[in-house]
Amino acid sequence: MARFYPLNHDLFANCCWKHIGIFSRYAIEQGVNHIISYEPESSNFDLLLKNLSPAVFSAEISIELHPKAVGVECAERTLVRARNENDGKVNTWRHSLVEYTQYVDRSTKLPSASQKGNLDRINVQCQSFFQDVLRPGITFVKLDCEGAEIEILLSHKASMRSSWLDVTHLVVEWSITKERRVDVFHEMLANLRSAGFDVYYDGMGGWWDTNSSVLWPYNQDILIFATMRN
């Protein structure tokens, strides 16, 4: 990734659920000296605090950690903790805002004793991505928000060059397994291109990508790389 999408950026915003600091540490190793990270789930945020402790890095590295979600508007939102897997493995990576959760309450017996029938729902603070998260100087943004990126990138502000301030590089995990309509995916791409980004993703021009009437046929999400045109 570093060869084709270099991380030689001064200020990096990482908005990522299941975020415990791994990518941020990699970014620091690549030369990023200012990290701004958002993670709304408390146990993941505790790991984020540990892994990105200022004591670990030199004084030149500036790190901001926010125990908040990110969306279109600043408000209190509901975060749903993902149910553990059927084999009992703790599920730390599928927590999402209630609008985008793939889980529902269950009254029947579940495969594992570690699985809860009634899901945990927690009130969390949500920051507005374009109003509160982005700021002058941020050049690299990573969005992996378990569905919240859908509302962010489909908003009108996402289509405006001025909304992105100094951002030149954007990495997004688009939750197409939550919103499978390819025409909606294309709407998001149109917003990014209107804002001035060139976009790249695996499968560009494939059979599913040239027919907006289809639904996403696969079980994995799409990773999008976008660079701002000069």
Side-chain angles (χ1 to χ4, degrees):
M1 174 178 171
R3 178 182 175 187
F4 300 102
Y5 209 75
L7 287 173
N8 54 342
H9 298 259
D10 289 332
L11 190 53
F12 168 52
N14 193 358
C15 308
C16 181
W17 294 197
K18 67 185 177 293
H19 178 33
I20 61 173
I22 295 174
F23 189 85
S24 291
R25 290 187 67 135
Y26 171 73
I28 291 171
E29 290 176 0
Q30 298 300 312
V32 174
N33 57 32
H34 191 160
I35 299 285
I36 305 170
S37 292
Y38 287 80
E39 166 55 57
E41 201 280 323
S42 58
S43 62
N44 283 343
F45 187 78
D46 288 343
L47 289 173
L48 181 62
L49 284 173
K50 181 179 179 180
N51 289 331
L52 292 184
S53 169
V56 177
F57 305 102
S58 67
E60 290 76 23
I61 305 299
S62 174
I63 298 173
E64 298 179 33
L65 306 179
H66 301 274
K68 298 178 180 181
V70 173
V72 169
E73 297 181 354
C74 183
E76 188 174 78
R77 305 280 290 268
T78 300
L79 183 77
V80 178
R81 281 200 175 102
R83 180 175 287 115
N84 289 343
E85 297 193 352
N86 290 344
D87 61 2
K89 182 189 298 182
V90 177
N91 190 343
T92 63
W93 58 89
R94 285 294 187 186
H95 312 311
S96 65
L97 296 177
V98 65
E99 295 89 344
Y100 306 108
T101 186
Q102 64 197 71
Y103 299 95
V104 296
D105 292 332
R106 302 283 189 184
S107 59
T108 56
K109 185 177 180 180
L110 296 169
S112 171
S114 73
Q115 293 176 309
K116 293 183 177 181
N118 292 325
L119 299 165
D120 291 334
R121 295 171 173 82
I122 308 102
N123 292 333
V124 296
Q125 289 299 313
C126 184
Q127 295 288 93
S128 168
F129 177 74
F130 289 110
Q131 180 177 331
D132 302 313
V133 176
L134 289 189
R135 66 184 72 167
I138 292 177
T139 55
F140 189 108
V141 173
K142 178 172 176 280
L143 286 174
D144 182 359
C145 307
E146 293 301 320
E149 78 285 349
I150 295 173
E151 64 183 63
I152 293 170
L153 298 181
L154 289 179
S155 69
H156 177 64
K157 285 188 175 182
S159 68
M160 301 168 61
R161 175 64 185 91
S162 59
S163 300
W164 292 94
L165 302 178
D166 297 323
V167 174
T168 59
H169 290 71
L170 173 68
V171 177
V172 181
E173 185 177 73
W174 180 257
S175 300
I176 200 165
T177 54
K178 297 176 183 287
E179 171 51 88
R180 291 184 175 270
R181 292 174 294 176
V182 171
D183 60 339
V184 175
F185 174 68
H186 287 165
E187 181 182 347
M188 176 273 298
L189 295 178
N191 274 354
L192 292 181
R193 288 171 175 143
S194 176
F197 287 102
D198 290 323
V199 296
Y200 312 90
Y201 50 92
D202 190 29
M204 285 183 67
W207 68 268
W208 62 268
D209 194 36
T210 55
N211 185 348
S212 292
S213 65
V214 304
L215 298 178
W216 178 245
Y218 306 115
N219 294 322
Q220 71 275 9
D221 291 328
I222 295 181
L223 194 62
I224 300 166
F225 297 88
T227 55
M228 187 65 72
R229 295 188 293 272
N230 294 329

